[in-house]
Amino acid sequence: MPIYHHTFKIQSDARPTFEDVTEQVEAALAESGFKDGILMVFSQHTTCSVLIQEASDDTDYWGTEFLMQDLVGALGKIIPTCLTQNQYLHPGPMHIEAALGRDELASWSLNTDAHLRSVILGRSVLVPVEDGAMVLGEFGRIYFADFDHTRARERKVRVQIIGE
Amino acid sequence: MPIYHHTFKIQSDARPTFEDVTEQVEAALAESGFKDGILMVFSQHTTCSVLIQEASDDTDYWGTEFLMQDLVGALGKIIPTCLTQNQYLHPGPMHIEAALGRDELASWSLNTDAHLRSVILGRSVLVPVEDGAMVLGEFGRIYFADFDHTRARERKVRVQIIGE
Amino acid sequence: MPIYHHTFKIQSDARPTFEDVTEQVEAALAESGFKDGILMVFSQHTTCSVLIQEASDDTDYWGTEFLMQDLVGALGKIIPTCLTQNQYLHPGPMHIEAALGRDELASWSLNTDAHLRSVILGRSVLVPVEDGAMVLGEFGRIYFADFDHTRARERKVRVQIIGE
C-alpha cells in the first residue's frame, strides 16, 4: 500500500487567516489516484492549524468567514491578542535573544496568542477516503488557519494519503 | 495491508449529547479481524466531535455524565449557548437564505455554539490496535459528542482501520 | 507495509508537566528503519495530551517552559485548578465509591481539571515521515503533557508508525 505526499502553499495576511483548501486537497487526492485510505492534512507551522468546519457563506469586512471570526472571538476570551511584551510569559529574554540571532525582528515573537490558539485546535485533520472521494458529509470543508498576526507569510500545507 | 470501513448510527437529543460508543467500535474491530494497526473514529458532522475520556459513573438528571457536563460548562464560558440571532456573527443573512433554500428552519442555524465547541475538540480520534485490541488504557472510553441543541437527529459514526 | 510499535515512559510531577519527547520519538523512528509513512504519538492516559509546539527557551522557577505555562494560564480561565470536591460536578459519589474500591485515595479523583484540559488538547499527534525524518518544520517539537496535579506518576508514551 503506497503513500502519497503533496505540498502546496498559501499566502497568509498579518491577521488571523482562514483559507478554504478543500479544492486543493481534492486535487491532490485525484492526482494520487487513491480510491481507499486515510488522508491527512498537516501544518508544520506551530502558529497554524488545520480544521474541518462548515462554510459560513457570509464574510466580514476583512473577508473572514463569520464562523471563523466567531472562533477568533471565543478563543480571544482566554487568549487575547498579543499586543506587546510581558502580556504573556512567552517570549522571554532567552527566546528574544535567539530570535535576534536568527535576524528576526523582536516583534515577530509577539505571536504567543497564535501558538496557544493553534495548539488547542490542532496541527492536522484526518479524513477517510472511500470510492476515490473524501468523506466530508454535506457541509464539511477543510480550512488552513494561520493565527500569526505579526506578519504576512507564505505557508506550507502538506497532504499525505495512505491507501491504495 | 487492507483498510476496513464501518459506519453505525446514533440518535442525539436536542441538547448536547455524549454517547459512549466504545462497544460499537470494539465490535467493528472484532468484525474486521485486524490484529495490528491504527483505528480512526470519525464524525463527518461539523457540530459533532469524537473524544477519548474516562467514564464518569455519575450522571445528571438529564442522563449526561458529570465529566461531560463539566466540559459543556467549561466551553460555555467562552462559547455560550446560542439562543437567538446576532448573538454570534454566524449565521449571517446569506447563510440563512441558503438554509431556507434547503427547506431548513432558520432556527436550525442557531447552532453556532455547536460548530465552535466541536471544532475545538476535533472531528476524530485515533487509537493504536495491538494484539487485536484497542490500546485505551484502564479508563479510556470513546465518546461521540453532538453539540447541536437545536434538534434531535440521527448521526453517523465512522470507523476506519488500517492494518492487518 | 509493516507497522512499528514502541512504548517509553516518562515521570510526571504533582503539577502540570510538559516533557519534550522529540528525541525519544526520533530514536524510535530511527530504530524502526522506516523512511516514509505516518507517525503517531499517543497517550492512553485520560489526563494527558500530546502536543506539537515551539520550544520556549525560557522556563519558570518550576522548570516549566514559558509557552506551556501560558497554556496552563489560558485554559485555567475556563477550567480552574480543581482544589476540592463539588467545585465541578465530577467526581460524583459513584465515582468516588468506585475509586475507593480500587484502593485509590479520594483526593486522587480531584483531577477534573486535568481530564478537561487534556481532552481539549487531544490524546495524540500525527507527523508525516519523509526520507526517514519527521516533518516538523524548523521549530516543531513534540511534548507529552500530564495535567494531573494530584500526584507524580510514571506515564506511558506510545509511538506507532505505519509506512515502509
Side-chain angles (χ1 to χ4, degrees), chain A residues 59-75:
Chain A
T59 55
D60 76 0
Y61 303 150
W62 299 97
T64 302
E65 292 192 18
F66 272 11
L67 197 47
M68 292 302 171
Q69 190 56 36
D70 282 328
L71 180 62
V72 170
L75 291 172

PDB file of all heavy atoms in Angstrom, chain A residues 59-75:
ATOM      1  N   THR A  59     -19.182  36.838   5.065  1.00  0.00           N
ATOM      2  CA  THR A  59     -17.832  37.225   5.490  1.00  0.00           C
ATOM      3  C   THR A  59     -17.880  38.636   6.075  1.00  0.00           C
ATOM      4  O   THR A  59     -18.759  39.430   5.734  1.00  0.00           O
ATOM      5  CB  THR A  59     -16.846  37.231   4.305  1.00  0.00           C
ATOM      6  OG1 THR A  59     -17.362  38.088   3.280  1.00  0.00           O
ATOM      7  CG2 THR A  59     -16.641  35.842   3.745  1.00  0.00           C
ATOM      8  N   ASP A  60     -16.905  38.959   6.924  1.00  0.00           N
ATOM      9  CA  ASP A  60     -16.844  40.313   7.495  1.00  0.00           C
ATOM     10  C   ASP A  60     -16.094  41.244   6.544  1.00  0.00           C
ATOM     11  O   ASP A  60     -15.697  40.843   5.440  1.00  0.00           O
ATOM     12  CB  ASP A  60     -16.254  40.280   8.910  1.00  0.00           C
ATOM     13  CG  ASP A  60     -14.750  40.084   8.941  1.00  0.00           C
ATOM     14  OD1 ASP A  60     -14.120  39.977   7.875  1.00  0.00           O
ATOM     15  OD2 ASP A  60     -14.184  40.036  10.044  1.00  0.00           O
ATOM     16  N   TYR A  61     -15.899  42.495   6.946  1.00  0.00           N
ATOM     17  CA  TYR A  61     -15.301  43.490   6.051  1.00  0.00           C
ATOM     18  C   TYR A  61     -13.859  43.140   5.683  1.00  0.00           C
ATOM     19  O   TYR A  61     -13.308  43.681   4.720  1.00  0.00           O
ATOM     20  CB  TYR A  61     -15.348  44.881   6.688  1.00  0.00           C
ATOM     21  CG  TYR A  61     -16.744  45.352   7.063  1.00  0.00           C
ATOM     22  CD1 TYR A  61     -16.938  46.208   8.143  1.00  0.00           C
ATOM     23  CD2 TYR A  61     -17.870  44.945   6.345  1.00  0.00           C
ATOM     24  CE1 TYR A  61     -18.212  46.651   8.494  1.00  0.00           C
ATOM     25  CE2 TYR A  61     -19.142  45.372   6.694  1.00  0.00           C
ATOM     26  CZ  TYR A  61     -19.309  46.224   7.762  1.00  0.00           C
ATOM     27  OH  TYR A  61     -20.551  46.653   8.107  1.00  0.00           O
ATOM     28  N   TRP A  62     -13.225  42.273   6.474  1.00  0.00           N
ATOM     29  CA  TRP A  62     -11.865  41.836   6.158  1.00  0.00           C
ATOM     30  C   TRP A  62     -11.854  40.621   5.241  1.00  0.00           C
ATOM     31  O   TRP A  62     -10.776  40.136   4.889  1.00  0.00           O
ATOM     32  CB  TRP A  62     -11.110  41.441   7.446  1.00  0.00           C
ATOM     33  CG  TRP A  62     -10.949  42.537   8.431  1.00  0.00           C
ATOM     34  CD1 TRP A  62     -11.743  42.765   9.529  1.00  0.00           C
ATOM     35  CD2 TRP A  62      -9.940  43.551   8.451  1.00  0.00           C
ATOM     36  NE1 TRP A  62     -11.288  43.857  10.220  1.00  0.00           N
ATOM     37  CE2 TRP A  62     -10.175  44.358   9.575  1.00  0.00           C
ATOM     38  CE3 TRP A  62      -8.861  43.848   7.626  1.00  0.00           C
ATOM     39  CZ2 TRP A  62      -9.372  45.447   9.914  1.00  0.00           C
ATOM     40  CZ3 TRP A  62      -8.062  44.929   7.956  1.00  0.00           C
ATOM     41  CH2 TRP A  62      -8.325  45.725   9.079  1.00  0.00           C
ATOM     42  N   GLY A  63     -13.014  40.068   4.945  1.00  0.00           N
ATOM     43  CA  GLY A  63     -13.074  38.862   4.129  1.00  0.00           C
ATOM     44  C   GLY A  63     -13.032  37.577   4.924  1.00  0.00           C
ATOM     45  O   GLY A  63     -12.950  36.489   4.353  1.00  0.00           O
ATOM     46  N   THR A  64     -13.092  37.664   6.254  1.00  0.00           N
ATOM     47  CA  THR A  64     -13.076  36.463   7.095  1.00  0.00           C
ATOM     48  C   THR A  64     -14.488  35.910   7.245  1.00  0.00           C
ATOM     49  O   THR A  64     -15.423  36.664   7.526  1.00  0.00           O
ATOM     50  CB  THR A  64     -12.507  36.812   8.493  1.00  0.00           C
ATOM     51  OG1 THR A  64     -11.191  37.351   8.326  1.00  0.00           O
ATOM     52  CG2 THR A  64     -12.455  35.582   9.386  1.00  0.00           C
ATOM     53  N   GLU A  65     -14.630  34.598   7.064  1.00  0.00           N
ATOM     54  CA  GLU A  65     -15.963  33.990   7.207  1.00  0.00           C
ATOM     55  C   GLU A  65     -16.468  34.210   8.639  1.00  0.00           C
ATOM     56  O   GLU A  65     -15.713  34.107   9.601  1.00  0.00           O
ATOM     57  CB  GLU A  65     -15.899  32.494   6.883  1.00  0.00           C
ATOM     58  CG  GLU A  65     -15.612  32.234   5.408  1.00  0.00           C
ATOM     59  CD  GLU A  65     -15.832  30.767   5.006  1.00  0.00           C
ATOM     60  OE1 GLU A  65     -16.515  30.024   5.756  1.00  0.00           O
ATOM     61  OE2 GLU A  65     -15.323  30.380   3.941  1.00  0.00           O
ATOM     62  N   PHE A  66     -17.760  34.465   8.770  1.00  0.00           N
ATOM     63  CA  PHE A  66     -18.363  34.771  10.077  1.00  0.00           C
ATOM     64  C   PHE A  66     -18.016  33.717  11.142  1.00  0.00           C
ATOM     65  O   PHE A  66     -17.673  34.048  12.277  1.00  0.00           O
ATOM     66  CB  PHE A  66     -19.886  34.853   9.946  1.00  0.00           C
ATOM     67  CG  PHE A  66     -20.399  36.220   9.575  1.00  0.00           C
ATOM     68  CD1 PHE A  66     -19.537  37.233   9.155  1.00  0.00           C
ATOM     69  CD2 PHE A  66     -21.758  36.508   9.632  1.00  0.00           C
ATOM     70  CE1 PHE A  66     -20.024  38.495   8.812  1.00  0.00           C
ATOM     71  CE2 PHE A  66     -22.244  37.765   9.311  1.00  0.00           C
ATOM     72  CZ  PHE A  66     -21.384  38.756   8.897  1.00  0.00           C
ATOM     73  N   LEU A  67     -18.129  32.436  10.767  1.00  0.00           N
ATOM     74  CA  LEU A  67     -17.925  31.383  11.764  1.00  0.00           C
ATOM     75  C   LEU A  67     -16.472  31.362  12.242  1.00  0.00           C
ATOM     76  O   LEU A  67     -16.198  31.065  13.414  1.00  0.00           O
ATOM     77  CB  LEU A  67     -18.331  30.035  11.153  1.00  0.00           C
ATOM     78  CG  LEU A  67     -18.590  28.855  12.058  1.00  0.00           C
ATOM     79  CD1 LEU A  67     -19.485  29.202  13.243  1.00  0.00           C
ATOM     80  CD2 LEU A  67     -19.217  27.714  11.254  1.00  0.00           C
ATOM     81  N   MET A  68     -15.548  31.689  11.355  1.00  0.00           N
ATOM     82  CA  MET A  68     -14.134  31.719  11.736  1.00  0.00           C
ATOM     83  C   MET A  68     -13.858  32.936  12.630  1.00  0.00           C
ATOM     84  O   MET A  68     -13.094  32.854  13.583  1.00  0.00           O
ATOM     85  CB  MET A  68     -13.247  31.749  10.488  1.00  0.00           C
ATOM     86  CG  MET A  68     -13.282  30.464   9.682  1.00  0.00           C
ATOM     87  SD  MET A  68     -12.773  29.015  10.673  1.00  0.00           S
ATOM     88  CE  MET A  68     -13.176  27.683   9.524  1.00  0.00           C
ATOM     89  N   GLN A  69     -14.500  34.067  12.338  1.00  0.00           N
ATOM     90  CA  GLN A  69     -14.309  35.226  13.198  1.00  0.00           C
ATOM     91  C   GLN A  69     -14.942  34.971  14.579  1.00  0.00           C
ATOM     92  O   GLN A  69     -14.417  35.419  15.604  1.00  0.00           O
ATOM     93  CB  GLN A  69     -14.896  36.477  12.540  1.00  0.00           C
ATOM     94  CG  GLN A  69     -14.540  37.766  13.252  1.00  0.00           C
ATOM     95  CD  GLN A  69     -13.034  37.990  13.404  1.00  0.00           C
ATOM     96  OE1 GLN A  69     -12.249  37.651  12.519  1.00  0.00           O
ATOM     97  NE2 GLN A  69     -12.622  38.512  14.550  1.00  0.00           N
ATOM     98  N   ASP A  70     -16.053  34.221  14.604  1.00  0.00           N
ATOM     99  CA  ASP A  70     -16.640  33.828  15.896  1.00  0.00           C
ATOM    100  C   ASP A  70     -15.652  32.952  16.683  1.00  0.00           C
ATOM    101  O   ASP A  70     -15.573  33.047  17.910  1.00  0.00           O
ATOM    102  CB  ASP A  70     -17.952  33.062  15.684  1.00  0.00           C
ATOM    103  CG  ASP A  70     -19.134  33.976  15.350  1.00  0.00           C
ATOM    104  OD1 ASP A  70     -19.160  35.123  15.850  1.00  0.00           O
ATOM    105  OD2 ASP A  70     -20.028  33.533  14.609  1.00  0.00           O
ATOM    106  N   LEU A  71     -14.923  32.098  15.968  1.00  0.00           N
ATOM    107  CA  LEU A  71     -13.917  31.255  16.624  1.00  0.00           C
ATOM    108  C   LEU A  71     -12.804  32.115  17.223  1.00  0.00           C
ATOM    109  O   LEU A  71     -12.379  31.902  18.369  1.00  0.00           O
ATOM    110  CB  LEU A  71     -13.346  30.259  15.609  1.00  0.00           C
ATOM    111  CG  LEU A  71     -12.275  29.292  16.116  1.00  0.00           C
ATOM    112  CD1 LEU A  71     -12.812  28.394  17.219  1.00  0.00           C
ATOM    113  CD2 LEU A  71     -11.733  28.432  14.962  1.00  0.00           C
ATOM    114  N   VAL A  72     -12.341  33.103  16.465  1.00  0.00           N
ATOM    115  CA  VAL A  72     -11.320  34.032  16.970  1.00  0.00           C
ATOM    116  C   VAL A  72     -11.857  34.757  18.214  1.00  0.00           C
ATOM    117  O   VAL A  72     -11.144  34.921  19.214  1.00  0.00           O
ATOM    118  CB  VAL A  72     -10.914  35.046  15.874  1.00  0.00           C
ATOM    119  CG1 VAL A  72     -10.057  36.165  16.442  1.00  0.00           C
ATOM    120  CG2 VAL A  72     -10.173  34.328  14.747  1.00  0.00           C
ATOM    121  N   GLY A  73     -13.109  35.168  18.166  1.00  0.00           N
ATOM    122  CA  GLY A  73     -13.708  35.854  19.314  1.00  0.00           C
ATOM    123  C   GLY A  73     -13.781  34.975  20.553  1.00  0.00           C
ATOM    124  O   GLY A  73     -13.469  35.416  21.668  1.00  0.00           O
ATOM    125  N   ALA A  74     -14.172  33.708  20.361  1.00  0.00           N
ATOM    126  CA  ALA A  74     -14.289  32.781  21.503  1.00  0.00           C
ATOM    127  C   ALA A  74     -12.920  32.520  22.124  1.00  0.00           C
ATOM    128  O   ALA A  74     -12.740  32.625  23.341  1.00  0.00           O
ATOM    129  CB  ALA A  74     -14.935  31.468  21.048  1.00  0.00           C
ATOM    130  N   LEU A  75     -11.938  32.199  21.291  1.00  0.00           N
ATOM    131  CA  LEU A  75     -10.595  31.915  21.812  1.00  0.00           C
ATOM    132  C   LEU A  75      -9.971  33.167  22.425  1.00  0.00           C
ATOM    133  O   LEU A  75      -9.208  33.078  23.394  1.00  0.00           O
ATOM    134  CB  LEU A  75      -9.697  31.365  20.700  1.00  0.00           C
ATOM    135  CG  LEU A  75     -10.060  29.974  20.194  1.00  0.00           C
ATOM    136  CD1 LEU A  75      -9.233  29.629  18.964  1.00  0.00           C
ATOM    137  CD2 LEU A  75      -9.854  28.908  21.285  1.00  0.00           C
TER     138      LEU A  75
END
